[in-house]
Amino acid sequence: MNAHSQITSEKLALFHAQLEKNKSLPGPLMPTLHDAQHIFGYIPISIQKIISKELNESIAKINGVVTFYGNFSVTPRGKKTISVCLGTACYVRGSQNVLDTLKDDLHLADGETTKDGEITLQSTRCIGACGLAPVFSVGEHIYGNASVSKVKQVLKEMRQAVNETK
Ligand code: FES
């Protein structure tokens, strides 16, 4: 496990403070899950148990929500997430090729994270940018008209950026 994915007492304290605030909301579950994802980078079963107890919701329900939405993850995410849209418009314009290029280059399956904890690769459903199809994103940044050469260039730049911070 990478340092940034560890569940420290500081992160737990922050999470509990958010949880207490969320309890006063009409629907506290989704905000709490967003907080957990943001604070820990993922929502492991140990955190789901805390949420279950504090919000009086079943683990089955919480786990169902966590695994349904692409925004949440039960395993540690990398510092950066590369998402490739496999929605219809992107798929017919070749986004599977883009995803396969990333899988080969990073030696990752869909949903996995590099061993150094830097990059998570994931496919997504339509992200609402069909006019730019095929698209992939790195964090909040969306790349349109994606191609194999474009994604290789972006990967190269990401690696350079990582090396410069080491
Ligand atoms: S199908 Fe990819 S953005 Fe809509």
Side-chain angles (χ1 to χ4, degrees), residues 85-91 95 124-135:
C85 178
L86 291 183
T88 308
C90 289
Y91 187 82
S95 61
T124 64
R125 296 169 224 163
C126 177
I127 59 167
C130 309
L132 300 173
V135 303

Side-chain angles (χ1 to χ4, degrees), residues 92-166:
V92 298
R93 289 184 175 82
S95 61
Q96 185 69 54
N97 274 344
V98 171
L99 180 62
D100 290 343
T101 300
L102 287 163
K103 282 180 176 175
D104 286 350
D105 197 296
L106 295 166
H107 305 291
L108 294 178
D110 192 359
E112 287 185 343
T113 300
T114 51
K115 286 197 176 69
D116 62 4
E118 291 292 335
I119 299 172
T120 296
L121 176 62
Q122 69 174 23
S123 63
T124 64
R125 296 169 224 163
C126 177
I127 59 167
C130 309
L132 300 173
V135 303
F136 68 97
S137 61
V138 179
E140 302 293 308
H141 191 99
I142 293 175
Y143 295 84
N145 303 312
S147 60
V148 166
S149 60
K150 190 164 190 168
V151 81
K152 283 188 170 171
Q153 178 63 31
V154 169
L155 266 183
K156 196 171 150 193
E157 287 166 12
M158 287 175 77
R159 287 191 171 113
Q160 278 169 355
V162 168
N163 286 336
E164 279 164 17
T165 57
K166 278 182 181 167

